[in-house]
Short mmCIF file of all heavy atoms in Angstrom, two decimals:
data_model
loop_
_atom_site.label_atom_id
_atom_site.label_comp_id
_atom_site.label_asym_id
_atom_site.label_seq_id
_atom_site.Cartn_x
_atom_site.Cartn_y
_atom_site.Cartn_z
N THR L 22 26.34 -12.78 -3.76
CA THR L 22 25.64 -11.66 -4.39
C THR L 22 24.12 -11.85 -4.28
O THR L 22 23.40 -10.90 -3.95
CB THR L 22 25.98 -11.60 -5.92
OG1 THR L 22 27.40 -11.46 -5.99
CG2 THR L 22 25.34 -10.46 -6.56
N GLU L 31 13.31 -13.78 -7.71
CA GLU L 31 12.63 -13.17 -6.54
C GLU L 31 12.91 -11.66 -6.50
O GLU L 31 14.02 -11.25 -6.74
CB GLU L 31 13.13 -13.83 -5.27
CG GLU L 31 12.44 -13.41 -4.00
CD GLU L 31 12.93 -14.16 -2.79
OE1 GLU L 31 14.09 -13.88 -2.38
OE2 GLU L 31 12.19 -15.00 -2.26
N ALA L 64 1.57 -17.83 -4.63
CA ALA L 64 0.81 -19.06 -4.78
C ALA L 64 0.35 -19.29 -6.21
O ALA L 64 0.18 -20.40 -6.66
CB ALA L 64 -0.43 -19.05 -3.87
N LYS L 99 17.24 -0.60 0.92
CA LYS L 99 17.77 -0.39 -0.42
C LYS L 99 19.21 -1.00 -0.54
O LYS L 99 19.49 -1.68 -1.53
CB LYS L 99 17.83 1.15 -0.71
CG LYS L 99 18.32 1.45 -2.10
CD LYS L 99 17.44 0.88 -3.18
CE LYS L 99 17.95 1.18 -4.58
NZ LYS L 99 17.08 0.60 -5.61
N PRO L 105 12.92 -2.09 -4.98
CA PRO L 105 12.53 -1.02 -5.86
C PRO L 105 11.48 -0.16 -5.25
O PRO L 105 11.18 0.94 -5.76
CB PRO L 105 11.95 -1.78 -7.09
CG PRO L 105 11.46 -3.06 -6.49
CD PRO L 105 12.37 -3.38 -5.39
N ALA L 131 3.23 5.35 -0.18
CA ALA L 131 2.84 6.10 0.99
C ALA L 131 1.38 5.86 1.36
O ALA L 131 0.47 6.23 0.61
CB ALA L 131 3.07 7.65 0.78
N VAL L 138 2.29 15.17 0.60
CA VAL L 138 3.27 14.13 0.13
C VAL L 138 3.31 14.02 -1.37
O VAL L 138 4.35 13.66 -1.94
CB VAL L 138 2.96 12.73 0.79
CG1 VAL L 138 3.03 12.82 2.29
CG2 VAL L 138 1.64 12.16 0.29
N THR L 146 7.16 9.13 -5.60
CA THR L 146 6.24 8.90 -4.49
C THR L 146 4.85 8.57 -5.01
O THR L 146 4.35 9.29 -5.92
CB THR L 146 6.11 10.12 -3.56
OG1 THR L 146 7.42 10.33 -2.93
CG2 THR L 146 5.09 9.95 -2.49
N HIS L 167 -28.29 18.37 7.33
CA HIS L 167 -29.03 17.41 8.10
C HIS L 167 -28.92 17.60 9.63
O HIS L 167 -29.76 17.15 10.39
CB HIS L 167 -28.61 15.98 7.76
CG HIS L 167 -28.95 15.61 6.39
ND1 HIS L 167 -28.14 15.82 5.27
CD2 HIS L 167 -30.06 14.93 5.88
CE1 HIS L 167 -28.70 15.36 4.18
NE2 HIS L 167 -29.86 14.80 4.53
N ALA L 168 -27.88 18.30 10.07
CA ALA L 168 -27.67 18.45 11.50
C ALA L 168 -27.48 19.91 11.95
O ALA L 168 -27.26 20.17 13.13
CB ALA L 168 -26.51 17.59 11.94
N THR L 171 -24.61 21.93 14.98
CA THR L 171 -24.35 21.25 16.27
C THR L 171 -23.24 20.32 16.15
O THR L 171 -23.20 19.46 15.21
CB THR L 171 -25.64 20.52 16.71
OG1 THR L 171 -26.73 21.43 16.81
CG2 THR L 171 -25.37 19.86 18.09
N MET L 174 -19.10 15.15 20.89
CA MET L 174 -18.34 13.87 20.94
C MET L 174 -18.98 12.92 21.88
O MET L 174 -19.50 13.35 22.91
CB MET L 174 -16.89 14.18 21.39
CG MET L 174 -16.10 15.08 20.43
SD MET L 174 -14.44 15.36 21.01
CE MET L 174 -13.75 13.71 20.94
N ALA L 175 -18.99 11.70 21.55
CA ALA L 175 -19.66 10.66 22.38
C ALA L 175 -19.07 9.32 22.09
O ALA L 175 -18.32 9.08 21.17
CB ALA L 175 -21.15 10.69 22.13
N SER L 215 -9.33 -0.27 6.14
CA SER L 215 -8.78 0.34 4.90
C SER L 215 -7.29 0.17 4.80
O SER L 215 -6.79 0.03 3.68
CB SER L 215 -9.17 1.82 4.86
OG SER L 215 -8.58 2.51 6.00
N ALA L 223 -2.41 -2.06 -3.53
CA ALA L 223 -1.25 -1.37 -4.05
C ALA L 223 -0.13 -2.27 -4.41
O ALA L 223 0.56 -2.08 -5.44
CB ALA L 223 -0.79 -0.36 -2.99
N ASP L 238 12.71 -1.40 -12.50
CA ASP L 238 13.18 0.03 -12.42
C ASP L 238 12.08 0.88 -11.79
O ASP L 238 10.96 0.93 -12.38
CB ASP L 238 13.54 0.52 -13.79
CG ASP L 238 14.12 1.95 -13.80
OD1 ASP L 238 13.57 2.83 -13.21
OD2 ASP L 238 15.27 2.04 -14.39
N VAL L 241 10.25 3.23 -14.23
CA VAL L 241 9.42 2.48 -15.22
C VAL L 241 8.15 2.04 -14.51
O VAL L 241 7.03 2.18 -15.10
CB VAL L 241 10.17 1.29 -15.79
CG1 VAL L 241 9.23 0.46 -16.64
CG2 VAL L 241 11.38 1.75 -16.61
N ASP L 254 -7.17 -7.63 -12.42
CA ASP L 254 -8.38 -8.29 -12.02
C ASP L 254 -9.10 -7.53 -10.89
O ASP L 254 -8.44 -7.13 -9.92
CB ASP L 254 -8.04 -9.71 -11.60
CG ASP L 254 -9.32 -10.53 -11.42
OD1 ASP L 254 -9.95 -10.42 -10.30
OD2 ASP L 254 -9.63 -11.38 -12.28
N VAL L 280 -24.27 7.49 10.44
CA VAL L 280 -24.91 6.58 11.44
C VAL L 280 -26.36 6.87 11.52
O VAL L 280 -26.80 7.95 11.91
CB VAL L 280 -24.25 6.74 12.84
CG1 VAL L 280 -24.95 5.81 13.83
CG2 VAL L 280 -22.76 6.42 12.73
#
Side-chain angles (χ1 to χ4, degrees):
T22 302
E31 184 177 72
K99 183 62 183 179
V138 301
T146 295
H167 294 86
T171 303
M174 296 180 66
S215 60
D238 185 307
V241 174
D254 190 281
V280 177

